Amino acid sequence: MAERSTAAVDVADNDGDEPSAAQAAKATSDGVDTQNGRAADGPMPDKDGERTNAASTAAPELHSGHKLARRYRLEECVTRVDGFSSWRAMDEKLRRAVGVHLMPADHARARSVLAAARSSALLGDPRFVQVLDAVEENDLVYVVHEWLPDATELTALLAAGPLEPHEAYQLVSQVSQAMAAAHREGLAHLRLTPSAILRTSTGQWRIRGLAVNAALRGITSETPQRADTEAIGALLYAALTQRWPYESDAYGLAGLPKGVGLIAPDQVRAGVHRGLGELAMRALANDGATASRQEPACTTPEELSKAVAAMPRIRPPEPAFTAPPEYQHTTYQQGSYGRTTPIGVTAVQSLPVAPPPPPLQSRTGRALKWGVAALLIAALGLGSWQLADTLLERGTQKGNSGTSNNTKPGTTGDDPKETGPGEPLKIQGVSVIGGSVKPALAPKTIDGDHETAWITPEYYNYANFGRLEQENNGSGIIVDLGEVKDVSGLEVDMYVAGQTVEVLAAAPDATNPGTVGAFGQQITKLERTDKKLQTTLEKPVRTRYVLIHVTELPASGGGYRGGINEIKVLGSAS
C-alpha cells in the first residue's frame, strides 16, 4: 500500500468554449478534465441533470508547497474554477502522488461534496478511481483521491480514431457493470463524459468522479439511472463513430449533422459493428426507438449490462502476420555462379546439375582404395593393443597394492588437477546499498539457507522500485570480504527470475563504499537474469567489496518485487 501510485478525479467546469479535436489530443495526463488550462466540460443530454447556480465564493488562494494536515504537499494547480480548485499533490507520509480538490468550507456545495466523497469512498470498487480522504479543516474542505499515471483518457483515445470493436465491447461491458454496482448502493455519477473514463496500461477501464463530479458542479437528476445509462450509450456511440451523438460538438468530437436527429452509428461510419451500434441506440435517449426498432430501450445500467452479456462475445483482433518471402536459391546453389547470363534470360533460371563423377575404376584408383583400407586396419590394431596394455597395467597395480587408483572421474593420476573459478571466499558481512530496502533481511543472503532471502517490498506501477527518490539508482547487497582478495567467480541464487542485475566491485583501496559510483570495476554487465546468476572471470578482480546491484524488478501479482536468496563469491585470498 505504501508504494501504490494514484490519479486525479475530473474537476473542471465549462467556460463556454468547446475544444477542438487537436486540443482533445492534448488532454492532461493527470486525468483532470481540462484543455489548455480551460475546462472541457461539453454539453450533455437534457436528462443528464440540472445544474445549480455557481457559488459566488472564490476558490481558496493557495500556492505550490502548501501542506494540508502536515501531509499533503500541493505541487501543481491543474484548474481553478467555480469556487474550487484542483491540485496534483504529494502524500509525504506514504510517498505517493495524489489529487486534491479544495473549496472554502462556506462554499454552497461544500456539504454535498463532502457527503458525496465519503459515500463514494465507502463503495471500494476497484473499477472506480478511489476517494482516499474527505476532510473539513481550517475553513477548508478538501477531497483526496487516486492518481493514475499510467492511465489514458477516452478523450485522447478518440482523438486518434474510433476504437476497435473488441475495445468498444470491453468499454461498454466494464462501464455498465461498474455503474450497475454503484446504483445498487444508491450512488450515481451524472457526469459520465469521455474525460471521466480511463484506460489503464493493462487494458482495464476505470471511472473517475463517481458522485463527486456532480456534487462539485451542483448537478442533480430526478432519474439518475436513466441519465447514467444514456451517458454510457453516448460513450459507446462516440467509441464506434468518433462523433458525439448530438448536434453540438463536444470533448474534441464533431456532433451529428444539423436537423437529422439521432441516426444509427452504421449510417455515420461504414464498418461499424452492428450489434454494438444497436446497443448504443438502445441506451441513448431516442424515445425508445432502436437501430432495428425491434428491441426495447435500456433505461438502467443493469439492463444495459445484461444486454451486453447477451451479445455474442467479440474476440480481440488477430495479430498481424506477414508471410516470409519465398526462398530464393543463390546463383552458387543453382550452379550459375561466375557464369554470364545470356541476354533475355533471368539469372534465377534452373540449370541442369552435372552428375557426380564415377567412382575410381582405374588401376591407380584400386591401388589407392587398398592402401587406405590397409592404413585403417593398422590403426585399429594399434589402438586395440594400447587399450589392452593399459587395462593389464591397471590390473597389475591393483593386485600389488590391494586398492584401486583413487582418481576423480574424467582424470588420470598423472594429469594435473583441473582449475576452476576458485574456492568460496569467506564473507565478513553484508549490507543493503542505501540502507532503505529491508536492511534487516540482508544477512539471509549468506546464511547458507536457500529458502531464506532478502526480499524487496511490492511496488506498484513502476518496476524500478516504485520510482522512489531514495532508490533512483536501484538497490542491492554489498558483500564485504573482510580484506582485499582475488575474485574470480560468483554464484547468486536470485529470489525470482527476470530481475535486471549487474555485479560491480570497488577499488582495492576502497573503504566502506556506500554508493553505486564507488564500485568502479564491472564483473557482469547490466542485464535481465535468470533464477541463477553465475559467472567466471578470465582475469581475477582484486577487491574487498562486491555489489550485486538490482535496478529493475519483475512483475509479481499486481506489482513488482525481487530479491536475493544466497550469495557465494569465489576466488583466492592470495
Side-chain angles (χ1 to χ4, degrees):
M1 186 66 184
E3 295 83 13
R4 192 174 188 83
S5 298
T6 54
V9 179
D10 173 20
V11 297
D13 201 357
N14 190 2
D15 64 355
D17 296 331
E18 298 298 337
S20 65
Q23 288 172 323
K26 298 178 182 178
T28 52
S29 61
D30 56 19
V32 178
D33 184 10
T34 57
Q35 306 289 339
N36 297 332
R38 299 179 300 173
D41 189 8
M44 292 289 291
D46 294 338
K47 295 184 181 181
D48 176 52
E50 298 179 357
R51 183 193 299 266
T52 60
N53 293 331
S56 59
T57 306
E61 290 296 334
L62 300 177
H63 56 83
S64 298
H66 181 86
K67 284 188 181 181
L68 301 172
R70 296 183 179 181
R71 176 176 179 176
Y72 304 111
R73 185 181 74 247
L74 303 182
E75 294 189 341
E76 180 185 5
C77 182
V78 292
T79 189
R80 190 189 303 273
V81 65
D82 203 13
F84 67 88
S85 60
S86 180
W87 294 75
R88 176 175 57 82
M90 173 60 69
D91 183 349
E92 295 188 336
K93 182 176 181 180
L94 298 181
R95 300 195 60 81
R96 61 180 180 182
V98 294
V100 179
H101 301 315
L102 283 166
M103 63 172 49
D106 59 352
H107 194 288
R109 301 172 188 161
R111 302 294 99 195
S112 61
V113 169
L114 275 176
R118 289 166 180 171
S119 299
S120 177
L122 291 175
L123 182 60
D125 193 318
R127 292 171 292 192
F128 295 92
V129 173
Q130 298 296 301
V131 172
L132 305 175
D133 208 352
V135 181
E136 180 179 357
E137 182 182 60
N138 298 331
D139 299 327
L140 284 177
V141 168
Y142 58 90
V143 177
V144 183
H145 44 77
E146 278 191 295
W147 189 278
L148 301 178
D150 64 335
T152 305
E153 290 183 8
L154 180 59
T155 307
L157 296 175
L158 294 181
L163 302 185
E164 294 288 339
H166 176 72
E167 282 290 322
Y169 172 81
Q170 292 294 329
L171 165 68
V172 68
S173 176
Q174 295 181 31
V175 172
S176 62
Q177 291 177 13
M179 288 310 305
H183 278 283
R184 284 194 292 269
E185 300 297 327
L187 294 174
H189 196 291
L190 304 183
R191 282 293 304 162
L192 280 173
T193 65
S195 55
I197 308 299
L198 306 173
R199 187 180 68 181
T200 66
S201 58
T202 59
Q204 180 187 9
W205 294 94
R206 297 187 67 179
I207 305 170
R208 66 183 177 200
L210 177 65
V212 176
N213 279 9
L216 286 169
R217 294 172 176 78
I219 296 174
T220 60
S221 175
E222 295 181 357
T223 56
Q225 295 207 46
R226 179 66 211 177
D228 283 343
T229 305
E230 292 176 7
I232 298 174
L235 295 175
L236 178 57
Y237 194 103
L240 296 173
T241 64
Q242 203 184 8
R243 299 286 291 268
W244 193 238
Y246 304 99
E247 291 187 355
S248 57
D249 300 345
Y251 313 110
L253 301 173
L256 297 179
K258 306 292 183 181
V260 300
L262 184 62
I263 56 177
D266 55 5
Q267 297 179 13
V268 177
R269 176 176 170 267
V272 171
H273 189 278
R274 183 176 180 181
L276 292 176
E278 292 184 356
L279 199 64
M281 296 296 287
R282 292 175 62 186
L284 283 168
N286 59 340
D287 299 326
T290 66
S292 63
R293 299 186 180 275
Q294 295 177 356
E295 298 291 339
C298 297
T299 58
T300 66
E302 186 75 34
E303 293 178 357
L304 183 58
S305 175
K306 291 180 179 179
V308 175
M311 287 181 56
R313 186 177 181 86
I314 301 176
R315 295 183 178 181
E318 295 291 337
F321 174 76
T322 304
E326 184 179 354
Y327 177 74
Q328 297 289 339
H329 289 280
T330 64
T331 55
Y332 181 82
Q333 292 170 323
Q334 295 171 350
S336 58
Y337 177 74
R339 302 181 183 181
T340 58
T341 304
I343 300 176
V345 178
T346 60
V348 297
Q349 63 178 342
S350 299
L351 296 177
V353 180
L360 297 175
Q361 297 294 340
S362 62
R363 180 181 299 176
T364 303
R366 287 194 294 270
L368 181 60
K369 287 190 292 182
W370 282 109
V372 172
L375 288 176
L376 289 175
I377 293 173
L380 289 174
L382 180 62
S384 300
W385 176 79
Q386 289 179 338
L387 177 61
D389 183 66
T390 302
L391 293 175
L392 289 174
E393 181 180 357
R394 288 186 179 180
T396 302
Q397 292 177 353
K398 182 175 181 180
N400 294 336
S401 62
T403 59
S404 61
N405 291 334
N406 186 20
T407 58
K408 294 183 179 180
T411 64
T412 64
D414 297 333
D415 292 336
K417 184 178 179 180
E418 293 183 358
T419 60
E423 61 184 8
L425 300 177
K426 183 178 180 181
I427 296 177
Q428 186 74 20
V430 291
S431 60
V432 177
I433 187 168
S436 62
V437 181
K438 304 289 186 180
L441 299 180
K444 294 183 180 296
T445 62
I446 58 171
D447 61 358
D449 186 357
H450 288 263
E451 299 300 323
T452 62
W454 169 74
I455 307 173
T456 72
E458 186 173 12
Y459 300 92
Y460 292 88
N461 295 310
Y462 298 104
N464 50 344
F465 294 83
R467 289 189 178 173
L468 300 180
E469 294 180 2
Q470 69 272 26
E471 302 302 340
N472 283 340
N473 292 325
S475 185
I477 298 295
I478 299 176
V479 177
D480 182 3
L481 300 176
E483 60 181 352
V484 176
K485 299 180 181 180
D486 290 330
V487 175
S488 57
L490 197 76
E491 295 179 5
V492 182
D493 181 13
M494 308 301 295
Y495 174 69
V496 66
Q499 302 179 71
T500 301
V501 181
E502 64 179 343
V503 181
L504 306 173
D509 58 350
T511 304
N512 295 326
T515 63
V516 177
F519 293 83
Q521 303 185 80
Q522 186 178 62
I523 295 180
T524 68
K525 296 181 180 179
L526 180 64
E527 59 185 357
R528 196 174 299 275
T529 65
D530 296 328
K531 184 71 168 56
K532 297 288 185 180
L533 172 60
Q534 295 179 318
T535 184
T536 300
L537 302 179
E538 295 182 358
K539 181 179 180 182
V541 173
R542 287 191 59 76
T543 185
R544 173 180 174 178
Y545 300 96
V546 177
L547 169 62
I548 293 86
H549 184 210
V550 183
T551 63
E552 188 172 335
L553 307 176
S556 173
Y560 300 89
R561 171 173 285 177
I564 299 173
N565 286 359
E566 200 69 22
I567 301 173
K568 184 183 295 184
V569 181
L570 307 176
S572 62
S574 59

